[in-house]
Amino acid sequence: MKFGKKTAFAALVASAALVMAGCAGDTGGGDAGSGDGGSGDKMYIALVSKGFQHQFWQAVKKGAEERAAELGVDITFEGPAAETEIDAQLQMLQTAIDKGPDAIAYAALDPEACVTPLQQAKDKDIPVVYFDAPCDGDVGLSLSATDSKVAGALAAEHMAELIGGEGEVGIVGHSQINSTGVERRDGFVEKIEADYPDIEIVDIQYGDGDHLKSADIAKAMIAAHPDLKGIYGTNEGSAIGVVNAVNELGLEKGKLTIVGFDSGAAQINAIKDGTMAGAITQDPIGIGAQVVQAAYDAANGKDVEEFYDTGSYWYDKTNIEDPKIAAVLYE
């Protein structure tokens, strides 16, 4: 299914309210590798994410748990320890299918590897909705996510402004397989190529979202391109890898313009201390809430939108304390 671009009704105001609310009730959310099913007397929705340890996924889990409590449903929330562990994620998906939940919400690490197991879910009449990244095929009914190409273009606009519209930049990506990595890269590249002819993207490398690998890539990129003006890191681990590289090399703060993606304490601190120029944040709590709502509606036979765009926002030193931005940041 190709998901059309329709905006979710969950606006920033709703996200702010979710941030302020506590995690109400026991919704059955578990740690990575866990996944006890529902109690049997409530609707049960199984969520399988791309990961579990990154703060982004913890924020998605928080939003999912809060919406589940509001709806009175049980959920489990699982994900592999790292976003490279495709086999582990597929095993979690298979286990979820075998439990026969009322609905499944899935964020695909590999859009092709999930086709066969999700067909099994469809054959069992289990509705499937996606969050963050879809699977190929025609099983999924809905996608709750950031429009990643729009977000990548927004990162490009700010990078261009920060480096004065000219010079060399590089990209440290987190994946060239799953849709978020591809689209955040392509949105950035296409915007630069279309609107900023005096900026050259001299290198694109991939560190799997691992901050150690990303740091090594960034150091090699800086060494190979002495005139490099900026690096764009396409997720939390990628961006922090670039920050760590700059610190390990002893570069003056701000000498290299770093634009990140996602939030988390490390990126927030790097922006506040001037190491990072700014970043794109999503609304992970809103993503979690929206996908549980979509799963709930699908399980009840209601129509759902093909695509719920939960938004993307630029933040830097100048607006990081703004209540609207603070509502979509997470530590």
Side-chain angles (χ1 to χ4, degrees):
M1 172 179 289
K2 291 187 177 180
F3 295 94
K5 305 298 184 185
K6 296 185 180 179
T7 303
F9 289 105
L12 278 172
V13 174
S15 300
L18 284 169
V19 171
M20 298 302 294
C23 291
D26 179 8
T27 55
D31 291 339
S34 70
D36 294 336
S39 62
D41 55 356
K42 288 182 178 180
M43 178 183 290
Y44 165 48
I45 300 168
L47 289 87
V48 180
S49 78
K50 290 181 181 177
F52 197 84
Q53 293 180 338
H54 277 186
Q55 291 166 331
F56 175 84
W57 295 114
Q58 289 297 309
V60 174
K61 179 175 180 281
K62 176 180 172 65
E65 289 176 337
E66 290 173 345
R67 181 57 56 87
E70 293 171 9
L71 295 172
V73 303
D74 284 337
I75 67 168
T76 50
F77 189 102
E78 302 178 89
E83 294 185 27
T84 54
E85 296 181 10
I86 295 169
D87 289 343
Q89 190 199 38
L90 292 172
Q91 182 58 55
M92 290 175 179
L93 174 60
Q94 188 63 58
T95 299
I97 294 168
D98 291 343
K99 289 178 180 175
D102 295 287
I104 289 174
Y106 187 68
L109 280 174
D110 185 324
E112 296 181 0
C114 50
V115 171
T116 298
L118 286 178
Q119 183 61 46
Q120 294 177 27
K122 183 177 181 179
D123 293 343
K124 291 184 175 184
D125 295 323
I126 301 171
V128 175
V129 296
Y130 299 129
F131 61 107
D132 192 66
C135 184
D136 288 347
D138 60 357
V139 172
L141 302 173
S142 176
L143 171 64
S144 300
T146 303
D147 187 325
S148 293
K149 289 194 77 171
V150 169
L154 183 61
E157 289 175 5
H158 284 278
M159 175 68 83
E161 180 181 354
L162 288 161
I163 67 172
E166 61 181 8
E168 297 179 350
V169 299
I171 300 173
V172 177
H174 66 280
S175 176
Q176 51 187 328
I177 297 174
N178 75 59
S179 63
T180 59
V182 171
E183 291 176 5
R184 291 177 197 176
R185 175 201 67 200
D186 289 352
F188 185 94
V189 170
E190 290 169 10
K191 185 67 176 177
I192 293 294
E193 291 179 346
D195 293 348
Y196 303 101
D198 294 327
I199 296 177
E200 181 184 2
I201 299 172
V202 293
D203 200 3
I204 303 174
Q205 299 291 333
Y206 303 91
D208 298 325
D210 181 274
H211 64 91
L212 296 175
K213 290 181 183 178
S214 298
D216 288 342
I217 288 169
K219 284 187 282 188
M221 197 177 288
I222 292 165
H225 303 281
D227 295 327
L228 198 67
K229 282 193 171 183
I231 297 179
Y232 165 49
T234 65
N235 79 344
E236 181 184 341
S238 305
I240 292 308
V242 179
V243 168
N244 291 345
V246 165
N247 289 333
E248 290 167 17
L249 291 171
L251 298 184
E252 179 184 349
K253 293 183 188 300
K255 179 177 175 60
L256 183 75
T257 298
I258 305 172
V259 170
F261 206 110
D262 292 324
S263 184
Q267 285 198 93
I268 290 171
N269 291 337
I271 289 170
K272 287 181 175 179
D273 73 16
T275 307
M276 179 181 287
I280 305 297
T281 185
Q282 306 178 76
D283 181 2
I285 291 177
I287 290 172
Q290 182 58 62
V291 75
V292 168
Q293 184 69 57
Y296 176 82
D297 290 343
N300 282 313
K302 296 182 180 179
D303 290 336
V304 293
E305 299 285 359
E306 286 188 358
F307 184 77
Y308 295 97
D309 180 6
T310 50
S312 54
Y313 315 90
W314 169 260
Y315 68 104
D316 57 20
K317 273 187 176 181
T318 67
N319 69 350
I320 201 167
E321 304 294 343
D322 185 305
K324 291 183 179 179
I325 294 298
V328 292
L329 298 180
Y330 51 92
E331 296 190 2

